Amino acid sequence: MINPLMKKRNYTLSLFLVALMLLIFTGCEDFFLSEAENVDIPGSEPQLVVNSFISPQDSLIKVYVHRSIPHTVASGEVAPVNGNADVYMAPAGGEFIQLPYDNNLQAFTVPAAVFPIEAGSYYQLKVESFEGEMVEAECFVPEYGVEDVAFEDVRIIYDNWGGMEMLLGWTVKPLKTTETNYFRTGGFVRSYQINDYGNNDTVFVGSQELWLERGNEFFTDEEGALYNFKGEFYGWMNFDGSSGQNETYQTIDSVFVFVLQTDFPYYRFHQSVEDYFYYGDDFPFAESVHIYSNIEGGLGAFGGYNRKDYMIRAFTPENK
Amino acid sequence: MQLCTQLATHSDTYMKKPFIALFFQVIVLFSTITCLSGQTTRYTISGYIYEKGSRETLVGANVYEPNFRIGSTSNTYGFYSITLPADSVEVIFSYVGYVPVIKELVLTENLRIDIELDPSLDLQEVVVTDERLTRISQTAQMSRLDVPIQQARNIPSLLGEKDMFKVLQLMPGVQSGTEGTSGFYVRGGGPDQNLIILDDAIVYNASHLFGFFSVFNGDAVKNMQLFKGGFPARFGGRLSSVLDIQMKDGNKQKFTGEGGIGLISSRLTLEGPIIKDKASFLISGRRTYLDALTRPFMSDDGFGGYFFYDLNSKINFDIDPNNRIFVSSYMGRDKFFFKDEYKGQGFEDSSEGGLFWQNTTATVRWNHIFSDRLFANASFVFSDYLLEIYSKERYKDLIYNETSAFDLTYNSGIQDVGLKYDLSWHPRSNHHVRAGMQFLHHRFTPSAIVLRNEDIGRFERNAEVHRSLESGIYLEDEISFGDYLKINPGLRFSHLYTDGKTYQYLEPRFNSNLVIYPQVSWKASFAAMSQYVHLLSTTGIGLPTDLWVPTTKKIAPQRTWQVATGFAWDWLARNLEFSVEGYYKESTDIIGYKEGASFLFIEDPENAEEFSWEDNITSGDAWAYGLEFLIQRKAGRFSGWIGYTLSWIEHQFDDLNFGEKFWARYDRRHDISLVGIYEVSEGITFSATWVYATGNAIDLGTGRFPVITHPVTVNDEGNQGNNPWWYSANVYDKKNSFRAASYQRLDVGLQFHKDITRFGYPVKRTIELGAYNAYSRKNPFFYYWEDRMIYNDYGYETNRKLMQVSIFPIIPSITVNFKF
C-alpha cells in the first residue's frame, strides 16, 4: 500500500525543483550585463590638459590647452578651451609673461626672441581658464651633456618592388655624472619630390622618422655608458632620381639623427605614452598604464629639453 | 638522564656533518639543562589516538589529567605524549564530536597506550568536559583556524561542489579574490603568499576551473589548519599564511567508500585495509563530465570543452609499534580545448588550441618513535606544476596547392624535490620542543615559447631554467608556566642559494597566551618570514596563467614581519568560542607586474630575446592592519560561526602610481560571514551562509583626454614640426581609487539523510539541494565603459556608461552523496 505521506513529499520536491528552474530563467534576463549601480566614480569633472615642451633651440614656444571629457558626460557638453584661458610663463623667480592665442596653431605661443629659453634654468607655467580652472607646472631645461655620437655608414637596399630600405646605426655616449640623466634619440629622413607634371619643380615633402630597430627611444643614464641604436626606414623613394612606381619621384635629401637631453617630466611623460599605446588599454585583466603628468591640478606635461641634430648624409640631385 | 643519553648517542652519529652536528648539539645542550632540573619521579604515557572503526589517527586530540592540571595534544600523526607524577592519575582523552575515553591508572613506569575514540557522539549531546588544551583560551598558538571538515560538508556550495577553500574564505582574516574564485588572501597577502602543503608537499596552483574550485577533494582530507599569524618556527617560505592539509590514511579495519554525483562532477573514494590493523590504502578521484555530455551535440568540425580531474592516493604501513611508513600522492589536471575546421570553395582552414595545467605531488614519510617522549618524522617530497598553452592553425589553398601554418606553444612550470626531518620532544610536562630541518630544490621554467609561422620561420625561445636550493632549520619550545601562562618562542634560519648568490635570514617567532580570567585569555605573537618564490598575478584574479618565478640575483626575496594581539574566551556552558585579534604587518620586496605587462607578449618574435619576465616586474612594499572577530560553535544541534574583519591594505611600488601609495586591489574594508548549520532532525540538515564585503579597489578610467607628444621631425625651415602628435587616452585617478559595489550572497542548502540498502550492503545516502546566491544578487565580476551615441539636432555626440559584468545568478544544485 502506498504511503500517502511519501507521495506528498515527492510532489513537494518536484515543485521545489521546477520553481528553482523558473527562478533561473527569469533571473538570468539582464543579470550578466547591467549598468553599474551603487558606485562612486572618482574624477567625474573635466580637467585642464596642458602640454608644452621648451628648449633653447625652439624658435617658437607653444602651449596647448584642452579639457578632458569624463566618461559620464556627453562629449558635446564639455566646451573646448580654444583661446578662453590666460597662459603665463616665467623663468624661476622671474616675471611672468602672457602668451597670446594663435588660431592657426590652436596654441598659446610666444617667439623665442621675446622669451628666450636658457639651458640650466627652471621655468614655471600657469594656466587659468575663463571658467576659473587653474593649473601650474614647473620644468627644467638641462644643459646638453652628450660626450659623443658616432655613426655607422648608411646602408641602402632596393627591393624588387621599387621600394628602398635604409639602415643606420649609431651610438650615444652621455657625459659621466652622478645624477640620473634622461635622453631621447631617433632619426629621420628629409625628402623632396620632383614634380613631373611639366615644370620639374622640386617640392619638399617632409620629414619621416626612422623606425627604431635596436635600442629604446627614451633612455636614462648616470654613468656615461654607451648606448647602441639602429634605425630603419622603408619607402617608395630613391636616391638617384630614377623612376619608382610613382609618377612623381621622391628622393631623400638628407638623413639626421637627433639626441635630446630632457628633464624627468619630459622623459616620464613620453615613456608612459609609449607604454600606454604599446600595451593597449581597456583590457580589464591587465594592469592599466597611467600616463604621467606634472601638471598640478590637471593633466598633460610641461617639460624641458636640449637638442642637437646630427646630419649623416646629404643628397642632392647633383651629388647623388 | 636516560633520555639525555639517548640524545647524546644520536648526536654522536652525525658529528661528522658540521651543519647537522650543530643542530644536535643545541638539542643536547637544551635537553641536558632540562633533564637536570626537577627531582620528582615522573612517568610518561604515550601512544596513538585513533578513530574507532577506521583506525584513522586523530590530529589535535586532547589528553588531560584534571587533578594535576597537566595536558597535551596529539600531533599531526596522532601521536601523543604526557608526563605525569608517579601516582594515581585519571587521564581524559577527548576530541570534538567524539565520545571521550577516561583511563584511571597508577603510574609506576612509562606506558604505551593507544586509544580509540568513538565518533558516534549523539548529536543532541554537547559534551562539556574540561578539555583545556583544545579550548581557544588555553592554546599558546593564536591566529590559527581549524577548518571544520565535518561542518564543511554541510555548508552549501557553488554547484554542490564542497570546496575547503570556499569554507576558508568564510573565516575572518581570509578574503576571496574575484567572484567565485577559490584563491584566498590572508591579512593583506596575495595568493602566492600562502604556503599550501598536502602531506608535506607544496601545491602551487590549487585551483580547478580557472580558479572557481580548489583541487582538494574533501572526501580525502582528514585535517586542515590555517595559520594567519604567529607562525610556529617549523613553518617557513611564505609571508601570509600556512595551510597545512593532511590526507586521510585509509581505514585499517574494513573496506569502505563514499562518493557523490553532482551537476558538473562526480567523485568516488575507496579505502580499506591491506593488512588489517597494520596497513591500509586510500584512493579518491573526481572528474567533471560536462565535456563528455556535450560532445555528442557538437559536430566533428567544431567542438570544444573543458574538464578537470584529480586523484589522491595513499598507502600506509605500520612496520612495528615504533615505525610507520606513508606514501601519498596527488595528481590533478585541467584542460580547456577547442577545434574548428572549415572547408570553403578552394580552401581548407583548421584551427585548434587550448590550455592545460596540472599539479603532481608525492610524499614518502617515515614516523619513528625514539622513546615515549621523542617522536620523529622524515619526509621525501616531490611537487611538479606545469602550465601549457597551445594554438595551431593550418590554411590550405586547394587551387594553388599552397599551405601556411602557425604554431604556438607556451609552457611554464616549477618542480620541487625536498627532504624534511622533524623532531617532537616532550622533555617535561610543561615543555614541548620541536626542531627540524628542511631542504628544497626548486627548478623553475618561468616561460618558454615555440612559435612557427611561414612568414617568420621558426622562432624558439628555450626555457630559461632557474635552479635554487632553499633550506631551513628551526627550533621552538612550547612552555607552560602553571595554568596561566603559555609561551611558544622559536627561531628559524632560512637560506637560499641561487644564481651564485646567497640569501639568508633569521626569523624569530613568538606566541603567548595569558589567562586573565577563567576561560578568558590575552594572546600576543610576533613572526618574521621570508619568501623565495613569487607568483606573478595579472590583476590578482588567480588565473592559471599566473607565473611562478624564482628569487634571482635581480629579484630579492620577499620579507615580512607581523605582530598580533587579541583576546579569546570559551563560553563552555554554551559551547561557544569568541576571539578578537588585531594585527599589523609590513612587507618588503613584494612583486607585481609593471604597468601594461603581460606574461605572454611577443609583438616581434625576432626581438623576443630581449624580452624577459624579470624586466616586466617591479618590487615594492606593503602594509596591512586590521581587526578580526569570530564567534564559533563547533558542535551541537546548531553550529556555525559569525566572522567579521575590518582591514586596510596599502602598497607602494616605485614603478606604479608614480611611486605613491595606493590601495591593493583586494583591499576590502569590511567583511562579514554568517554560517549556520541546523540539524532539523536526524535525517534532515539545513544550512545557510551569508557573506557581505565592501567593494574591492579597482583601477578604472574615468574619462578621455588628448595626449599631445613632442614632434621631433623638422620642417623645410629647419624648425620642428608644427603639428604635434595627438592621441586620446584614459584619464585615471590615483591607482585603484575606484571601489566596486559591495559583494553579498546568500547560499542555502537542505540535506536529506537516509540509510538504505543496495546490493545487500548498508549505504548512507544524502540528497542535497542547494541554491548558490539564493536572491540572485548581481555581484560585480568586472567593469567596463560602453560607448553610447546620443543623437541631437547637431548630429551626434558620445558619452559612456559604466557597465558591470556579473557571472553567477542564483544557481540551484542537486547532489547525491553516498557512504558505505
Side-chain angles (χ1 to χ4, degrees), chain A residues 281-308:
Chain A
D281 62 354
D282 290 338
F283 181 55
F285 302 127
E287 293 291 337
S288 54
V289 178
H290 293 208
I291 292 179
Y292 172 84
S293 171
N294 69 333
I295 307 296
E296 289 180 32
L299 300 164
F302 179 44
Y305 67 95
N306 204 318
R307 173 177 180 149
K308 192 168 183 181

PDB file of all heavy atoms in Angstrom, chain A residues 281-308:
ATOM      1  N   ASP A 281      44.860  49.559 -23.879  1.00  0.00           N
ATOM      2  CA  ASP A 281      44.120  49.832 -22.659  1.00  0.00           C
ATOM      3  C   ASP A 281      42.754  49.154 -22.743  1.00  0.00           C
ATOM      4  O   ASP A 281      42.452  48.458 -23.689  1.00  0.00           O
ATOM      5  CB  ASP A 281      43.975  51.337 -22.424  1.00  0.00           C
ATOM      6  CG  ASP A 281      43.194  52.016 -23.531  1.00  0.00           C
ATOM      7  OD1 ASP A 281      42.862  51.354 -24.542  1.00  0.00           O
ATOM      8  OD2 ASP A 281      42.917  53.218 -23.399  1.00  0.00           O
ATOM      9  N   ASP A 282      41.918  49.358 -21.746  1.00  0.00           N
ATOM     10  CA  ASP A 282      40.564  48.825 -21.694  1.00  0.00           C
ATOM     11  C   ASP A 282      40.500  47.316 -21.592  1.00  0.00           C
ATOM     12  O   ASP A 282      39.454  46.739 -21.843  1.00  0.00           O
ATOM     13  CB  ASP A 282      39.723  49.283 -22.910  1.00  0.00           C
ATOM     14  CG  ASP A 282      39.410  50.778 -22.817  1.00  0.00           C
ATOM     15  OD1 ASP A 282      39.453  51.307 -21.700  1.00  0.00           O
ATOM     16  OD2 ASP A 282      39.180  51.390 -23.855  1.00  0.00           O
ATOM     17  N   PHE A 283      41.592  46.666 -21.255  1.00  0.00           N
ATOM     18  CA  PHE A 283      41.510  45.228 -21.014  1.00  0.00           C
ATOM     19  C   PHE A 283      41.426  45.033 -19.507  1.00  0.00           C
ATOM     20  O   PHE A 283      42.360  45.375 -18.783  1.00  0.00           O
ATOM     21  CB  PHE A 283      42.736  44.522 -21.580  1.00  0.00           C
ATOM     22  CG  PHE A 283      42.700  43.041 -21.389  1.00  0.00           C
ATOM     23  CD1 PHE A 283      41.619  42.287 -21.844  1.00  0.00           C
ATOM     24  CD2 PHE A 283      43.734  42.379 -20.766  1.00  0.00           C
ATOM     25  CE1 PHE A 283      41.578  40.917 -21.665  1.00  0.00           C
ATOM     26  CE2 PHE A 283      43.699  41.014 -20.585  1.00  0.00           C
ATOM     27  CZ  PHE A 283      42.634  40.282 -21.032  1.00  0.00           C
ATOM     28  N   PRO A 284      40.317  44.508 -19.010  1.00  0.00           N
ATOM     29  CA  PRO A 284      40.124  44.513 -17.561  1.00  0.00           C
ATOM     30  C   PRO A 284      41.056  43.590 -16.805  1.00  0.00           C
ATOM     31  O   PRO A 284      41.136  43.670 -15.581  1.00  0.00           O
ATOM     32  CB  PRO A 284      38.658  44.070 -17.408  1.00  0.00           C
ATOM     33  CG  PRO A 284      38.354  43.310 -18.642  1.00  0.00           C
ATOM     34  CD  PRO A 284      39.163  43.923 -19.724  1.00  0.00           C
ATOM     35  N   PHE A 285      41.748  42.664 -17.474  1.00  0.00           N
ATOM     36  CA  PHE A 285      42.583  41.711 -16.762  1.00  0.00           C
ATOM     37  C   PHE A 285      44.061  41.991 -16.944  1.00  0.00           C
ATOM     38  O   PHE A 285      44.881  41.095 -16.842  1.00  0.00           O
ATOM     39  CB  PHE A 285      42.246  40.279 -17.214  1.00  0.00           C
ATOM     40  CG  PHE A 285      40.796  39.937 -17.001  1.00  0.00           C
ATOM     41  CD1 PHE A 285      40.024  39.453 -18.025  1.00  0.00           C
ATOM     42  CD2 PHE A 285      40.202  40.130 -15.763  1.00  0.00           C
ATOM     43  CE1 PHE A 285      38.686  39.146 -17.822  1.00  0.00           C
ATOM     44  CE2 PHE A 285      38.875  39.832 -15.545  1.00  0.00           C
ATOM     45  CZ  PHE A 285      38.117  39.331 -16.578  1.00  0.00           C
ATOM     46  N   ALA A 286      44.409  43.215 -17.249  1.00  0.00           N
ATOM     47  CA  ALA A 286      45.811  43.609 -17.317  1.00  0.00           C
ATOM     48  C   ALA A 286      45.997  44.876 -16.507  1.00  0.00           C
ATOM     49  O   ALA A 286      45.059  45.651 -16.317  1.00  0.00           O
ATOM     50  CB  ALA A 286      46.242  43.837 -18.767  1.00  0.00           C
ATOM     51  N   GLU A 287      47.207  45.061 -16.010  1.00  0.00           N
ATOM     52  CA  GLU A 287      47.490  46.281 -15.256  1.00  0.00           C
ATOM     53  C   GLU A 287      47.347  47.480 -16.177  1.00  0.00           C
ATOM     54  O   GLU A 287      47.904  47.517 -17.262  1.00  0.00           O
ATOM     55  CB  GLU A 287      48.922  46.225 -14.708  1.00  0.00           C
ATOM     56  CG  GLU A 287      49.160  45.168 -13.648  1.00  0.00           C
ATOM     57  CD  GLU A 287      48.452  45.493 -12.354  1.00  0.00           C
ATOM     58  OE1 GLU A 287      48.145  46.661 -12.102  1.00  0.00           O
ATOM     59  OE2 GLU A 287      48.180  44.547 -11.591  1.00  0.00           O
ATOM     60  N   SER A 288      46.610  48.473 -15.753  1.00  0.00           N
ATOM     61  CA  SER A 288      46.422  49.647 -16.598  1.00  0.00           C
ATOM     62  C   SER A 288      47.678  50.499 -16.571  1.00  0.00           C
ATOM     63  O   SER A 288      48.453  50.473 -15.616  1.00  0.00           O
ATOM     64  CB  SER A 288      45.219  50.441 -16.094  1.00  0.00           C
ATOM     65  OG  SER A 288      45.379  50.743 -14.717  1.00  0.00           O
ATOM     66  N   VAL A 289      47.879  51.254 -17.631  1.00  0.00           N
ATOM     67  CA  VAL A 289      49.025  52.150 -17.728  1.00  0.00           C
ATOM     68  C   VAL A 289      48.529  53.572 -17.500  1.00  0.00           C
ATOM     69  O   VAL A 289      47.633  54.037 -18.202  1.00  0.00           O
ATOM     70  CB  VAL A 289      49.705  52.035 -19.114  1.00  0.00           C
ATOM     71  CG1 VAL A 289      50.856  53.010 -19.206  1.00  0.00           C
ATOM     72  CG2 VAL A 289      50.174  50.617 -19.361  1.00  0.00           C
ATOM     73  N   HIS A 290      49.112  54.266 -16.542  1.00  0.00           N
ATOM     74  CA  HIS A 290      48.750  55.658 -16.266  1.00  0.00           C
ATOM     75  C   HIS A 290      49.742  56.571 -16.961  1.00  0.00           C
ATOM     76  O   HIS A 290      50.959  56.416 -16.808  1.00  0.00           O
ATOM     77  CB  HIS A 290      48.792  55.918 -14.760  1.00  0.00           C
ATOM     78  CG  HIS A 290      47.737  55.186 -13.994  1.00  0.00           C
ATOM     79  ND1 HIS A 290      47.220  55.669 -12.809  1.00  0.00           N
ATOM     80  CD2 HIS A 290      47.085  54.030 -14.236  1.00  0.00           C
ATOM     81  CE1 HIS A 290      46.318  54.824 -12.367  1.00  0.00           C
ATOM     82  NE2 HIS A 290      46.217  53.812 -13.203  1.00  0.00           N
ATOM     83  N   ILE A 291      49.215  57.527 -17.706  1.00  0.00           N
ATOM     84  CA  ILE A 291      50.097  58.476 -18.364  1.00  0.00           C
ATOM     85  C   ILE A 291      50.541  59.522 -17.343  1.00  0.00           C
ATOM     86  O   ILE A 291      49.720  60.102 -16.626  1.00  0.00           O
ATOM     87  CB  ILE A 291      49.395  59.115 -19.578  1.00  0.00           C
ATOM     88  CG1 ILE A 291      49.196  58.023 -20.637  1.00  0.00           C
ATOM     89  CG2 ILE A 291      50.204  60.278 -20.130  1.00  0.00           C
ATOM     90  CD1 ILE A 291      48.506  58.482 -21.877  1.00  0.00           C
ATOM     91  N   TYR A 292      51.831  59.739 -17.314  1.00  0.00           N
ATOM     92  CA  TYR A 292      52.415  60.642 -16.325  1.00  0.00           C
ATOM     93  C   TYR A 292      51.974  62.079 -16.552  1.00  0.00           C
ATOM     94  O   TYR A 292      51.742  62.510 -17.683  1.00  0.00           O
ATOM     95  CB  TYR A 292      53.942  60.546 -16.421  1.00  0.00           C
ATOM     96  CG  TYR A 292      54.673  61.562 -15.576  1.00  0.00           C
ATOM     97  CD1 TYR A 292      54.907  61.324 -14.234  1.00  0.00           C
ATOM     98  CD2 TYR A 292      55.123  62.762 -16.124  1.00  0.00           C
ATOM     99  CE1 TYR A 292      55.574  62.247 -13.451  1.00  0.00           C
ATOM    100  CE2 TYR A 292      55.785  63.691 -15.354  1.00  0.00           C
ATOM    101  CZ  TYR A 292      56.013  63.435 -14.019  1.00  0.00           C
ATOM    102  OH  TYR A 292      56.679  64.365 -13.244  1.00  0.00           O
ATOM    103  N   SER A 293      51.875  62.823 -15.460  1.00  0.00           N
ATOM    104  CA  SER A 293      51.574  64.239 -15.559  1.00  0.00           C
ATOM    105  C   SER A 293      52.297  64.995 -14.452  1.00  0.00           C
ATOM    106  O   SER A 293      52.358  64.513 -13.317  1.00  0.00           O
ATOM    107  CB  SER A 293      50.067  64.476 -15.434  1.00  0.00           C
ATOM    108  OG  SER A 293      49.792  65.861 -15.323  1.00  0.00           O
ATOM    109  N   ASN A 294      52.861  66.149 -14.786  1.00  0.00           N
ATOM    110  CA  ASN A 294      53.415  67.028 -13.745  1.00  0.00           C
ATOM    111  C   ASN A 294      52.633  68.330 -13.679  1.00  0.00           C
ATOM    112  O   ASN A 294      53.124  69.319 -13.122  1.00  0.00           O
ATOM    113  CB  ASN A 294      54.910  67.285 -13.973  1.00  0.00           C
ATOM    114  CG  ASN A 294      55.168  68.149 -15.208  1.00  0.00           C
ATOM    115  OD1 ASN A 294      54.376  68.148 -16.151  1.00  0.00           O
ATOM    116  ND2 ASN A 294      56.269  68.865 -15.225  1.00  0.00           N
ATOM    117  N   ILE A 295      51.408  68.305 -14.249  1.00  0.00           N
ATOM    118  CA  ILE A 295      50.565  69.489 -14.199  1.00  0.00           C
ATOM    119  C   ILE A 295      49.767  69.432 -12.901  1.00  0.00           C
ATOM    120  O   ILE A 295      48.890  68.566 -12.748  1.00  0.00           O
ATOM    121  CB  ILE A 295      49.608  69.541 -15.410  1.00  0.00           C
ATOM    122  CG1 ILE A 295      50.385  69.405 -16.723  1.00  0.00           C
ATOM    123  CG2 ILE A 295      48.770  70.811 -15.373  1.00  0.00           C
ATOM    124  CD1 ILE A 295      51.337  70.537 -17.002  1.00  0.00           C
ATOM    125  N   GLU A 296      50.042  70.327 -11.997  1.00  0.00           N
ATOM    126  CA  GLU A 296      49.331  70.316 -10.717  1.00  0.00           C
ATOM    127  C   GLU A 296      47.909  70.788 -10.917  1.00  0.00           C
ATOM    128  O   GLU A 296      47.665  71.890 -11.394  1.00  0.00           O
ATOM    129  CB  GLU A 296      50.031  71.226  -9.713  1.00  0.00           C
ATOM    130  CG  GLU A 296      51.360  70.679  -9.223  1.00  0.00           C
ATOM    131  CD  GLU A 296      52.021  71.616  -8.223  1.00  0.00           C
ATOM    132  OE1 GLU A 296      51.278  72.294  -7.490  1.00  0.00           O
ATOM    133  OE2 GLU A 296      53.255  71.682  -8.216  1.00  0.00           O
ATOM    134  N   GLY A 297      46.971  69.932 -10.579  1.00  0.00           N
ATOM    135  CA  GLY A 297      45.562  70.262 -10.752  1.00  0.00           C
ATOM    136  C   GLY A 297      45.022  69.901 -12.113  1.00  0.00           C
ATOM    137  O   GLY A 297      43.844  70.167 -12.398  1.00  0.00           O
ATOM    138  N   GLY A 298      45.831  69.294 -12.965  1.00  0.00           N
ATOM    139  CA  GLY A 298      45.352  68.965 -14.301  1.00  0.00           C
ATOM    140  C   GLY A 298      46.073  67.763 -14.879  1.00  0.00           C
ATOM    141  O   GLY A 298      46.620  66.944 -14.147  1.00  0.00           O
ATOM    142  N   LEU A 299      46.079  67.689 -16.190  1.00  0.00           N
ATOM    143  CA  LEU A 299      46.712  66.591 -16.913  1.00  0.00           C
ATOM    144  C   LEU A 299      47.674  67.159 -17.944  1.00  0.00           C
ATOM    145  O   LEU A 299      47.628  68.355 -18.257  1.00  0.00           O
ATOM    146  CB  LEU A 299      45.633  65.744 -17.614  1.00  0.00           C
ATOM    147  CG  LEU A 299      44.585  65.108 -16.719  1.00  0.00           C
ATOM    148  CD1 LEU A 299      43.386  64.642 -17.536  1.00  0.00           C
ATOM    149  CD2 LEU A 299      45.187  63.946 -15.954  1.00  0.00           C
ATOM    150  N   GLY A 300      48.511  66.285 -18.493  1.00  0.00           N
ATOM    151  CA  GLY A 300      49.453  66.715 -19.513  1.00  0.00           C
ATOM    152  C   GLY A 300      50.854  66.784 -18.957  1.00  0.00           C
ATOM    153  O   GLY A 300      51.164  66.196 -17.920  1.00  0.00           O
ATOM    154  N   ALA A 301      51.720  67.518 -19.659  1.00  0.00           N
ATOM    155  CA  ALA A 301      53.100  67.594 -19.210  1.00  0.00           C
ATOM    156  C   ALA A 301      53.728  68.898 -19.657  1.00  0.00           C
ATOM    157  O   ALA A 301      53.417  69.427 -20.743  1.00  0.00           O
ATOM    158  CB  ALA A 301      53.899  66.412 -19.757  1.00  0.00           C
ATOM    159  N   PHE A 302      54.598  69.412 -18.820  1.00  0.00           N
ATOM    160  CA  PHE A 302      55.412  70.590 -19.128  1.00  0.00           C
ATOM    161  C   PHE A 302      56.850  70.143 -18.936  1.00  0.00           C
ATOM    162  O   PHE A 302      57.262  69.818 -17.820  1.00  0.00           O
ATOM    163  CB  PHE A 302      55.053  71.739 -18.176  1.00  0.00           C
ATOM    164  CG  PHE A 302      55.844  72.994 -18.392  1.00  0.00           C
ATOM    165  CD1 PHE A 302      56.079  73.478 -19.672  1.00  0.00           C
ATOM    166  CD2 PHE A 302      56.344  73.710 -17.312  1.00  0.00           C
ATOM    167  CE1 PHE A 302      56.800  74.652 -19.868  1.00  0.00           C
ATOM    168  CE2 PHE A 302      57.066  74.884 -17.501  1.00  0.00           C
ATOM    169  CZ  PHE A 302      57.300  75.361 -18.777  1.00  0.00           C
ATOM    170  N   GLY A 303      57.586  70.077 -20.050  1.00  0.00           N
ATOM    171  CA  GLY A 303      58.934  69.535 -19.961  1.00  0.00           C
ATOM    172  C   GLY A 303      59.946  70.382 -20.694  1.00  0.00           C
ATOM    173  O   GLY A 303      59.600  71.183 -21.569  1.00  0.00           O
ATOM    174  N   GLY A 304      61.207  70.171 -20.334  1.00  0.00           N
ATOM    175  CA  GLY A 304      62.289  70.910 -20.972  1.00  0.00           C
ATOM    176  C   GLY A 304      63.277  69.958 -21.616  1.00  0.00           C
ATOM    177  O   GLY A 304      63.415  68.801 -21.191  1.00  0.00           O
ATOM    178  N   TYR A 305      63.960  70.441 -22.660  1.00  0.00           N
ATOM    179  CA  TYR A 305      64.954  69.595 -23.312  1.00  0.00           C
ATOM    180  C   TYR A 305      65.989  70.460 -23.989  1.00  0.00           C
ATOM    181  O   TYR A 305      65.792  71.668 -24.178  1.00  0.00           O
ATOM    182  CB  TYR A 305      64.283  68.647 -24.318  1.00  0.00           C
ATOM    183  CG  TYR A 305      63.671  69.334 -25.517  1.00  0.00           C
ATOM    184  CD1 TYR A 305      64.378  69.461 -26.719  1.00  0.00           C
ATOM    185  CD2 TYR A 305      62.388  69.862 -25.449  1.00  0.00           C
ATOM    186  CE1 TYR A 305      63.822  70.101 -27.804  1.00  0.00           C
ATOM    187  CE2 TYR A 305      61.822  70.501 -26.539  1.00  0.00           C
ATOM    188  CZ  TYR A 305      62.534  70.619 -27.712  1.00  0.00           C
ATOM    189  OH  TYR A 305      61.980  71.256 -28.787  1.00  0.00           O
ATOM    190  N   ASN A 306      67.063  69.819 -24.329  1.00  0.00           N
ATOM    191  CA  ASN A 306      68.122  70.478 -25.085  1.00  0.00           C
ATOM    192  C   ASN A 306      68.489  69.537 -26.222  1.00  0.00           C
ATOM    193  O   ASN A 306      68.757  68.368 -25.985  1.00  0.00           O
ATOM    194  CB  ASN A 306      69.325  70.737 -24.172  1.00  0.00           C
ATOM    195  CG  ASN A 306      70.168  71.874 -24.670  1.00  0.00           C
ATOM    196  OD1 ASN A 306      70.416  72.001 -25.871  1.00  0.00           O
ATOM    197  ND2 ASN A 306      70.620  72.714 -23.763  1.00  0.00           N
ATOM    198  N   ARG A 307      68.538  70.062 -27.439  1.00  0.00           N
ATOM    199  CA  ARG A 307      68.588  69.183 -28.598  1.00  0.00           C
ATOM    200  C   ARG A 307      69.790  69.466 -29.482  1.00  0.00           C
ATOM    201  O   ARG A 307      70.220  70.612 -29.647  1.00  0.00           O
ATOM    202  CB  ARG A 307      67.320  69.378 -29.416  1.00  0.00           C
ATOM    203  CG  ARG A 307      67.321  68.634 -30.752  1.00  0.00           C
ATOM    204  CD  ARG A 307      66.014  68.810 -31.474  1.00  0.00           C
ATOM    205  NE  ARG A 307      66.031  68.099 -32.738  1.00  0.00           N
ATOM    206  CZ  ARG A 307      64.970  67.562 -33.307  1.00  0.00           C
ATOM    207  NH1 ARG A 307      63.792  67.647 -32.710  1.00  0.00           N
ATOM    208  NH2 ARG A 307      65.070  66.942 -34.459  1.00  0.00           N
ATOM    209  N   LYS A 308      70.251  68.404 -30.068  1.00  0.00           N
ATOM    210  CA  LYS A 308      71.268  68.550 -31.107  1.00  0.00           C
ATOM    211  C   LYS A 308      70.959  67.569 -32.220  1.00  0.00           C
ATOM    212  O   LYS A 308      70.647  66.404 -31.969  1.00  0.00           O
ATOM    213  CB  LYS A 308      72.652  68.286 -30.525  1.00  0.00           C
ATOM    214  CG  LYS A 308      73.797  68.680 -31.449  1.00  0.00           C
ATOM    215  CD  LYS A 308      75.103  68.669 -30.691  1.00  0.00           C
ATOM    216  CE  LYS A 308      76.231  69.132 -31.613  1.00  0.00           C
ATOM    217  NZ  LYS A 308      77.534  69.124 -30.928  1.00  0.00           N
TER     218      LYS A 308
END
